[in-house]
Amino acid sequence: MQHIYYKGTDETKPTLLLLHGTGGNEESLIGLAKEIDETANILSVRGNVLEHGMPRFFRRLAEGVFDMEDLIFRTKELYEFLQTSAQQYGFDRQRIVAIGYSNGANIAASLLFHYDDALAGAILHHPMVPRRGIELPQLSPTPVFIGAGTNDPMCTAQESEDLETLLSTAGATVTTKWFNFGHQLTMPEVQAAKEWYNSIYA
Ligand code: MLT
């Protein structure tokens, strides 16, 4: 997968896996990651699917309606990419913390829904429930931050609440913070994510 890797300066920190929103690329979230932790390794990946020229991490049939077969295939592809990247760059495979926005948050959530050892933690900005009706792996004690929008037209409050319930039931420790700026990722949300991150990894 097309990506950027930066080696961090503090080996005690996790590796930040950056997953952009629809139409973004591997450059999009670098500034955000530096805001969260400028000393951690960064692995920033570009989604392999194109929708009218816009990179995404999996296909959708309509807005908010996911192509499940492709979601499962792309989730596995990303899972395997994490494995080979850890070997290539020499970072700890067991200590990857995803930071995803929108479509990137959805593939990060899908990693958590399908694998018990994909992520050591996740910051999900405006995620949805990637897939319903499956039993999740045991996620304990994976810490997850959800940045949700009370008035997000795309990733509704109900989706955020359902996602929190599903992940918590699977054993994850979920912290949800609410904002009222629609689907936008704003500085107050980034600051809340940073506080959460520092409480666990600093
Ligand atoms: C998705 O397709 O993953 C969600 O609708 C969010 C997005 O449009 O990126």
Side-chain angles (χ1 to χ4, degrees):
M1 299 183 79
Q2 199 157 327
H3 66 281
I4 299 172
Y5 180 75
Y6 292 127
K7 185 163 172 47
T9 53
D10 184 348
E11 289 193 354
T12 68
K13 296 300 185 59
T15 296
L16 304 179
L17 168 66
L18 309 186
L19 302 164
H20 61 80
T22 301
N25 61 36
E26 66 278 21
E27 312 265 358
S28 304
L29 300 183
I30 299 288
L32 171 67
K34 299 265 184 204
E35 191 62 39
I36 299 285
D37 186 349
E38 57 182 8
T39 67
N41 300 325
I42 290 174
L43 177 65
S44 189
V45 187
R46 182 188 296 201
N48 261 347
V49 165
L50 281 180
E51 182 185 273
H52 308 300
M54 296 185 295
R56 284 178 52 86
F57 286 95
F58 55 88
R59 282 196 206 105
R60 62 181 165 183
L61 307 174
E63 195 173 288
V65 184
F66 302 153
D67 177 333
M68 280 307 150
E69 204 180 313
D70 194 56
L71 174 72
I72 294 163
F73 175 79
R74 299 293 170 191
T75 303
K76 182 164 183 278
E77 180 181 52
L78 180 56
Y79 179 80
E80 288 168 355
F81 175 74
L82 297 179
Q83 190 67 39
T84 53
S85 298
Q87 281 161 3
Q88 182 181 351
Y89 296 113
F91 62 81
D92 185 349
R93 170 68 190 87
Q94 302 311 316
R95 298 198 70 216
I96 299 176
V97 174
I99 303 179
Y101 168 60
S102 192
N103 181 244
N106 293 342
I107 191 91
S110 183
L111 282 171
L112 293 168
F113 270 46
H114 292 100
Y115 301 97
D116 64 358
D117 60 350
L119 298 174
I123 295 176
L124 308 177
H125 293 292
H126 300 263
M128 295 170 65
V129 175
R131 190 180 174 194
R132 292 185 187 262
I134 57 162
E135 193 177 331
L136 271 62
Q138 178 56 244
L139 291 173
S140 177
T142 313
V144 177
F145 173 94
I146 295 178
T150 50
N151 57 348
D152 184 336
M154 205 176 294
C155 305
T156 63
Q158 187 64 53
E159 287 281 328
S160 307
E161 283 165 9
D162 289 355
L163 183 62
E164 176 178 12
T165 304
L166 289 165
L167 290 172
S168 303
T169 305
T173 309
V174 185
T175 302
T176 304
K177 296 283 181 197
W178 292 92
F179 302 87
N180 57 353
F181 302 105
H183 194 57
Q184 282 181 68
L185 175 51
T186 60
M187 262 333 263
E189 184 172 332
V190 175
Q191 286 307 325
K194 183 175 177 163
E195 274 171 36
W196 171 88
Y197 176 91
N198 284 337
S199 73
I200 298 166
Y201 303 104

